[in-house]
Amino acid sequence: MGTATLDGRVALVTGASRGIGRGIAERLAADGARVVVNYRSDARAAAEVVSRVEESGGRAAAVRADLSRPAEVRHLFTAAEEAYGGVDILVGNAGLARFAPLAEVSDEDFELLFTVNARATFLLLREAARRLRDGGRFVLISTGATRTVRPASGVYAASKAAAEQLVATAAKELGPRGITVNSVLPGATRTEAMVAGADPDTLAAARRGTPLGRLGEPADIAAVVAFLASPDGGWITGQALGAGGGLF
Ligand code: NAP
């Protein structure tokens, strides 16, 4: 078990069935939070995350919701409230990356990236503004791609940059209730999907370009989220925090 800094708190992590979201869910549970593990399609993977948390002495529940559907975002909050009485910490981690030069981006991919990365963040923040408990936390998992400008990443970066802008606004609006709102920007982070999808040269270049000399791990990003969610993180709000080993 972790440091129990989140005892008595309820955390809702979107896209927590694998990758970075899974790492965040497991870490927040180890720190004492009861955790809602949101997933879209893989019920078995989400159930595995819940089992792992419970085997380590924590508490977690899996809730299916597709964040591209507004009604399902509302339902996700309701399910969390029914399971644990309310939400203190909301981590908007679910996201989608697609890379193509502007000349080759399809209308469908543009729609998809803005729906899952930007509009879903709006839907989560709107629900957070209405329902997150006072003293709560919102953390968006954005990307270092909003800081570096590279060919083929324009639409992905634009969709995440829109989400970061909403986060910055929410920090101003929710501060009076003691709620902090921040973005965390991972660099290249070693998840199964990312390693399977990226070409080896790109991965090697990311490793070479990272002053700390390796790719990030989900646990690296989870540690930053755990800090922001903890009482010690309470004076930081409205920030976009780079977590890429110095890559950007
Ligand atoms: P991943 O392994 O592909 O996992 C993404 C998670 O989001 C999955 O659990 C997926 O569930 C869920 N998800 C996707 N669309 C959803 C939707 N419409 N509704 C609900 N859940 C949905 O991703 P990852 O690499 O861990 O990345 C997590 C976040 O970090 C993303 O926002 C990504 O942009 C960001 N990021 C990642 C990296 C990296 O190098 N890995 C770098 C910078 C930023 P299903 O499989 O069921 O769809």
Side-chain angles (χ1 to χ4, degrees), residues 36-129:
V36 174
V37 173
N38 161 248
Y39 68 99
R40 182 184 57 172
S41 56
D42 195 344
R44 195 144 64 141
E48 251 179 60
V49 178
V50 169
S51 300
R52 235 178 107 143
V53 166
E54 286 172 343
E55 279 159 20
S56 316
R59 286 181 65 191
V63 177
R64 203 203 77 81
D66 181 344
L67 304 184
S68 65
R69 297 167 186 264
E72 295 193 19
V73 175
R74 287 193 289 277
H75 163 76
L76 174 60
F77 248 82
T78 302
E81 287 167 350
E82 282 171 5
Y84 294 132
V87 180
D88 301 289
I89 300 160
L90 175 57
V91 183
N93 162 81
L96 202 66
R98 297 256 167 115
F99 301 98
L102 292 174
E104 289 165 26
V105 176
S106 65
D107 293 346
E108 290 73 21
D109 273 0
F110 182 92
E111 282 287 323
L112 192 63
L113 286 166
F114 270 80
T115 298
V116 176
N117 295 336
R119 191 178 75 162
T121 301
F122 158 67
L123 295 171
L124 288 171
L125 280 169
R126 185 170 65 182
E127 232 45 46

Side-chain angles (χ1 to χ4, degrees), residues 145-189:
T146 60
R147 295 241 175 111
T148 55
V149 180
R150 292 218 178 83
S153 66
V155 178
Y156 172 59
S159 67
K160 288 286 198 176
E164 283 182 30
Q165 186 68 29
L166 293 165
V167 164
T169 304
K172 304 281 190 201
E173 293 183 1
L174 303 186
R177 290 175 44 210
I179 296 172
T180 70
V181 188
N182 293 286
S183 299
V184 170
L185 283 51
T189 307

Side-chain angles (χ1 to χ4, degrees), residues 75 132 224 234:
H75 163 76
L132 208 59
V224 179

